[in-house]
Amino acid sequence: MFHVALVDDEKDLLFSLQILLKAEGWKVSVYYSAESAYSGILKDTPDTVILDMMLPGKDGLWLCREVRKLYPQLPLIFLSARDEELDRIVGLE
């Protein structure tokens, strides 16, 4: 079973994504902050992570850097409203 971790502070968005992905047979872990996602990923590493850049407390870039240190090959997908060129460059780094 494919396991995806969803990280965003918008509960309605995560609820919708969770329903859609579970209907496809995926295991879904939902986190509302970078800190809780980091702890959850350490306990049960997903096959991929979909995360927002703008989170309360530590942001998605912090989570990305920390996860990359431990799991350099783990796919991370940014789901964000930020659309400036600089935001894309920082995300790709």
Side-chain angles (χ1 to χ4, degrees):
M1 177 182 303
F2 192 81
H3 179 197
V4 62
L6 302 176
V7 187
D8 201 317
D9 59 333
E10 292 188 35
K11 293 181 180 183
D12 291 339
L13 173 65
L14 287 187
F15 181 73
S16 298
L17 285 173
Q18 184 178 16
I19 289 172
L20 292 170
L21 295 172
K22 282 187 172 185
E24 293 298 319
W26 294 15
K27 177 181 176 182
V28 180
S29 298
V30 174
Y31 305 101
Y32 302 109
S33 71
E35 294 93 338
S36 65
Y38 183 72
S39 296
I41 290 168
L42 291 177
K43 291 177 187 169
D44 188 13
T45 307
D47 297 302
T48 194
V49 179
I50 300 174
L51 68 150
D52 188 11
M53 290 178 70
M54 298 180 292
L55 296 166
K58 297 185 189 250
D59 64 13
L61 292 175
W62 174 85
L63 178 60
C64 178
R65 286 185 201 105
E66 295 303 309
V67 169
R68 281 277 176 250
K69 289 177 190 176
L70 299 172
Y71 309 104
Q73 301 301 316
L74 181 65
L76 297 164
I77 301 169
F78 281 108
L79 177 67
S80 182
R82 297 177 77 170
D83 63 352
E84 297 295 322
E85 184 175 349
L86 180 61
D87 295 322
R88 285 184 241 140
I89 291 168
V90 170
L92 290 171
E93 287 179 346

